[in-house]
Amino acid sequence: MTKRRVSILGATGSIGQNTIDLIARDPDHYDVVALTGARNIGQLARDAIKLNADIAVTAHDDLLDDLRAALAGSGVQAAAGQAALDEAAARPADWVMSAIVGAAGLAPGMAALAQGATLALANKESLVCAGALIKATAATHGARILPVDSEHSAVFQALIGENIAAVERIIITASGGAFRDWPIADLANASLAQASSHPNWDMGQRITIDSASMFNKAMELIETREFFEVSPSQIETVVHPESMIHALVGFNDGALMAHVGPPDMRHAIGFALHWPTRKTLPVARLDLVQIGALTFRAPDETRWPALRLAREVMERGGMAGAVFNAAKEIALDGFIGGHIQFTQMADIVAVVLDTANRDGGALNASHIDATMTLDNVREVNHLARKAAQAAIKNRAG
Ligand code: NAD
Ligand code: MG
């Protein structure tokens, strides 16, 4: 039996650890090529040794000595820095999990596609920032991208055997996050700890806060547009507090195909790992009688202005997604760092999008509409981050 060569980018995070959980249950089937992480050297080294990886890479040069020390005598190579991350992703593999958080996941994901690997894409930021670019890279190299976000995995599964031309609409569900039942007037004073706890899903801190603000759902609307190439008007979201239905696809005969499952990312990860077959996965089986009822609410754009901003980005297309994501990342840093209030994150992103729409400044339309290359996505990312930092200074000052 030939083993499948797999790499995990962002191995120490929530998605990375769930991926390792699945792979470690079936060690004879996998040959682990590369694991990458950032500051959690202990976890990275432990997993690299346990899975007998060829190489472990930290994003931080200053942690190379620590990683070497933690791997001493194991036979696992150590490397550090951005170029090493890209090199690890470029090592021949059959399947690569893209689970770095943020725009930092774009370049390593591109490197994995360029060597023809199947890219299991959890890093939604890559599609939001550079959808056209990563799809073109996959096409050029005959590589496949499989969605790992639970909603997009659900849509992908609902579309098996279907013709996309028969799709009328795609509905992705949103739990509503930490503050769905809060009075809107209280949101400005939401604390970091309150925003960092999710009612249904156990995820990394950044995506958890993005769920409370609905920036996560906003990103997922754009991700839906990029992945399935339907028009923005065909994409909807609905608040579904139980997080059991992950998405629904509506067809031209009125049928709605829903994907139902427990809120456990090992389902979407396992589906991408075993695709095109299905294999037994260690996720809970739902007891519908015990659940009793599933409920739905309209998404309120006053409570969650990020949803309105996502519509603006989808209409605009081009580099607007890169601007949006960069501004959102800096606004989130600003909230985590205590420099702005929870509700100011959306204000910052709106200001940066407005700046990008105006002619004149550095972040003007000529950049926004430029042909997409990794370099100009990086430049737009850089400029939008600077614009967001300036906007935060204005608010906080
Ligand atoms: P996380 O914060 O738990 O883990 C992030 C990983 O990226 C870690 O391994 C970290 O070391 C690494 N990392 C962080 N900054 C880096 C940098 N600058 N360079 C290189 N590596 C870096 O995040 P997560 O919750 O696992 O999410 C990962 C991605 O998957 C995100 O794009 C997120 O939106 C997406 N996603 C997550 C979930 C979930 O359930 N956690 C669900 C759907 C999609
Ligand atoms: Mg999701």
Side-chain angles (χ1 to χ4, degrees), residues 88-323:
R91 290 191 173 210
D94 302 303
W95 189 89
V96 176
M97 167 53 75
S98 167
I100 290 172
V101 64
L106 175 60
M110 295 263 297
L113 289 171
Q115 52 104 342
T118 291
L119 189 70
L121 191 65
N123 177 263
K124 63 192 79 183
E125 295 88 346
S126 340
L127 267 181
V128 171
C129 292
L133 181 63
I134 72 165
K135 285 185 285 182
T137 307
T140 304
H141 299 279
R144 185 177 285 278
I145 303 172
L146 294 173
V148 171
D149 219 339
S150 57
E151 297 76 3
H152 306 75
S153 175
V155 173
F156 187 82
Q157 293 179 51
L159 285 172
I160 292 171
E162 303 285 356
N163 184 349
I164 192 81
V167 171
E168 268 180 2
R169 57 183 181 147
I170 293 178
I171 306 169
I172 62 171
T173 60
S175 67
F179 305 139
R180 67 177 171 230
D181 299 318
W182 278 39
I184 292 181
D186 292 353
L187 292 179
N189 294 319
S191 72
L192 179 59
Q194 287 166 328
S196 301
S197 99
H198 196 286
N200 305 337
W201 294 91
D202 179 12
M203 310 185 284
Q205 187 190 36
R206 297 183 74 87
I207 184 174
T208 301
I209 300 169
D210 282 350
S211 296
S213 63
M214 284 264 195
F215 267 111
N216 181 50
K217 208 51 54 183
M219 307 268 288
E220 291 181 357
L221 292 170
I222 303 165
E223 186 186 5
T224 302
R225 159 115 174 106
E226 293 296 334
F227 202 97
F228 300 103
E229 300 186 340
V230 291
S231 76
S233 62
Q234 290 174 287
I235 306 169
E236 302 168 26
T237 185
V238 65
V239 177
H240 167 45
E242 296 84 8
S243 293
M244 296 290 170
I245 297 180
H246 304 301
L248 309 94
V249 178
F251 293 93
N252 55 7
D253 60 356
L256 269 180
M257 300 296 285
H259 182 284
V260 190
D264 183 335
M265 284 309 294
R266 290 176 306 175
H267 172 74
I269 296 166
F271 182 81
L273 183 62
H274 301 306
W275 181 90
T277 55
R278 284 189 190 272
K279 288 200 178 154
T280 305
L281 291 173
V283 301
R285 273 46 177 172
L286 293 182
D287 179 339
L288 295 177
V289 172
Q290 197 186 10
I291 294 165
L294 297 177
T295 61
F296 305 93
R297 305 180 199 170
D300 175 353
E301 291 189 1
T302 314
R303 181 182 292 279
W304 295 297
L307 298 175
R308 177 179 51 74
L309 297 173
R311 296 265 160 220
E312 191 181 317
V313 170
M314 286 192 287
E315 291 305 333
R316 198 167 165 81
M319 293 283 195
V323 172

